């Protein structure tokens, strides 16, 4: 019996070490992939701005630069997602709460995802209630909003997307609704697990970690992310964050 227990403990230790090595590799790889692309992205932004200002610029040149800009941003976003996954798993994701307005964060996200919305042929209906604020980490909130909106654009491509921000009692409430295929009730919790996606989503792409990251970040700020959906009815993802000051936010 003692030998069996020792063998089990040895196997657990081996698997734990393998997981740690895997997470370290993901973190290093994501960091090395993302860092060189940041200055490249800035250079492309400058070239695109110059091309737009030049008189009689070939529209094909602008379209090519816009396509390059989108692809670089997608790559950076995916590398950042991998890096965030490794940080969350290692408990190294630090929150920096400060007083911000949710509508300001949404506007920044909309500015960076406008090209994605055009590419997905989605009309965005945005309703923002001002003065909906709280002590939250700006980067974490921005990442949650971007994840929810990009999901809606992928799964609801070609159909209208609705995004709203409002106060509800002592909480800020953001809703992102699409008119995609919807999600079975039995999958509502599963899609918030790591590396999980809705059925039939393989062709859409992605790692299947965006919703997991979003919920982890929201809960670390004393909030949550939930879904309301049924097959054939589209999906509404809801972010709730407390509006009262929070000074006990912690590292994940």
């Amino acid at each position: 019996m003692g030998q069996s227990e020792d063998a089990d403990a040895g196997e657990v230790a081996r698997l734990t070490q393998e997981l740690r090595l895997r997470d370290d590799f993901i973190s290093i790889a994501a960091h090395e992939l993302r860092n060189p692309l940041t200055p490249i992205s800035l250079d492309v932004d400058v070239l695109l701005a110059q091309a737009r200002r030049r008189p009689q610029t070939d529209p094909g040149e602008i379209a090519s630069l816009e396509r390059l800009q989108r692809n670089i941003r997608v790559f950076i976003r995916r590398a950042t997602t991998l890096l965030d996954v490794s940080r969350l798993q290692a408990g190294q994701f630090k929150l920096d709460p400060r007083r911000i307005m949710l509508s300001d964060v949404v506007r920044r996200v909309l500015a960076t995802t406008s090209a994605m919305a055009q590419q997905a042929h989605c009309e965005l209906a945005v309703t923002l209630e001002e003065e909906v604020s709280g002590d939250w980490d700006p980067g974490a909130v921005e990442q949650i909003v971007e994840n929810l909106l990009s999901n809606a654009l992928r799964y609801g491509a070609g159909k209208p997307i609705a995004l709203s921000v409002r106060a509800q009692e002592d909480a800020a409430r953001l809703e992102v609704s699409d008119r995609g295929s919807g999600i079975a009730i039995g999958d509502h919790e599963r899609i918030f697990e790591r590396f999980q996606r809705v059925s039939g989503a393989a062709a859409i792409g992605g790692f299947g970690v965006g919703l997991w990251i979003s919920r982890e970040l929201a809960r670390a700020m004393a909030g949550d992310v939930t879904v309301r959906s049924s097959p054939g009815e589209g999906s509404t993802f809801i972010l709730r964050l407390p509006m009262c000051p929070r000074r006990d936010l912690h590292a994940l």
Side-chain angles (χ1 to χ4, degrees):
M1 187 69 175
Q3 290 181 345
S4 176
E5 290 177 350
D6 289 343
D8 289 344
E11 181 67 8
V12 169
R14 183 185 67 81
L15 291 173
T16 300
Q17 177 65 10
E18 288 182 359
L19 287 172
R20 185 178 297 111
L21 291 173
R22 183 203 63 183
D23 292 342
D24 288 345
F25 172 78
I26 291 174
S27 177
I28 293 170
H31 188 271
E32 293 301 313
L33 287 170
R34 187 185 65 169
N35 278 8
L37 281 174
T38 300
I40 294 174
S41 178
L42 293 174
D43 288 341
V44 171
D45 290 346
V46 171
L47 290 173
L48 181 57
Q50 291 174 344
R52 286 170 173 165
R53 286 197 301 266
R54 283 199 307 268
Q56 299 179 336
T57 300
D58 181 2
E61 178 185 350
I62 293 178
S64 296
L65 287 171
E66 288 175 340
R67 186 164 54 251
L68 178 60
Q69 183 188 60
R70 286 196 300 272
N71 290 337
I72 290 175
R73 287 177 176 173
V74 167
F75 194 96
I76 291 175
R77 186 164 58 249
R78 289 182 176 178
T80 301
T81 296
L82 284 176
L83 188 58
D84 288 343
V85 168
S86 65
R87 287 172 175 170
L88 285 167
Q89 290 177 157
Q92 297 174 347
F93 199 107
K94 302 292 193 246
L95 291 171
D96 180 21
R98 65 191 72 170
R99 177 65 62 169
I100 58 173
M101 286 203 300
L102 187 52
S103 58
D104 290 342
V105 176
V106 171
R107 289 189 183 95
R108 287 199 299 272
V109 172
L110 290 172
T112 59
T113 57
S114 59
M116 186 189 304
Q118 292 176 1
Q119 192 175 27
H121 305 290
C122 289
E123 180 181 343
L124 291 176
V126 181
T127 304
L128 302 180
E129 182 178 313
E130 303 296 342
E131 307 303 326
V132 179
S133 63
D135 284 0
W136 312 310
D137 182 291
V141 176
E142 186 168 332
Q143 184 166 5
I144 295 170
V145 176
E146 182 177 336
N147 285 345
L148 298 184
L149 181 56
S150 61
N151 264 9
L153 292 172
R154 286 199 298 268
Y155 291 100
K159 299 176 182 178
I161 304 292
L163 188 155
S164 66
V165 168
R166 61 187 173 91
Q168 186 179 55
E169 297 178 348
D170 61 348
R173 183 182 179 96
L174 176 140
E175 294 190 5
V176 180
S177 301
D178 65 64
R179 298 185 187 176
S181 57
I183 304 165
I185 293 176
D187 288 334
H188 283 193
E189 286 302 310
R190 183 183 65 80
I191 60 172
F192 287 101
E193 298 174 4
R194 277 183 298 167
F195 309 116
Q196 295 292 328
R197 293 180 294 179
V198 298
S199 301
I204 294 178
F207 299 119
V209 295
L211 291 175
W212 174 73
I213 289 176
S214 298
R215 175 172 274 185
E216 289 290 306
L217 292 175
R219 288 181 172 178
M221 294 183 287
D224 205 356
V225 176
T226 56
V227 64
R228 184 175 67 245
S229 180
S230 58
E233 299 295 328
S235 303
T236 297
F237 285 88
I238 303 152
L239 166 66
R240 285 177 56 87
L241 292 171
M243 293 179 64
C244 56
R246 297 285 301 185
R247 300 302 179 189
D248 59 345
L249 300 187
H250 52 80
L252 294 170

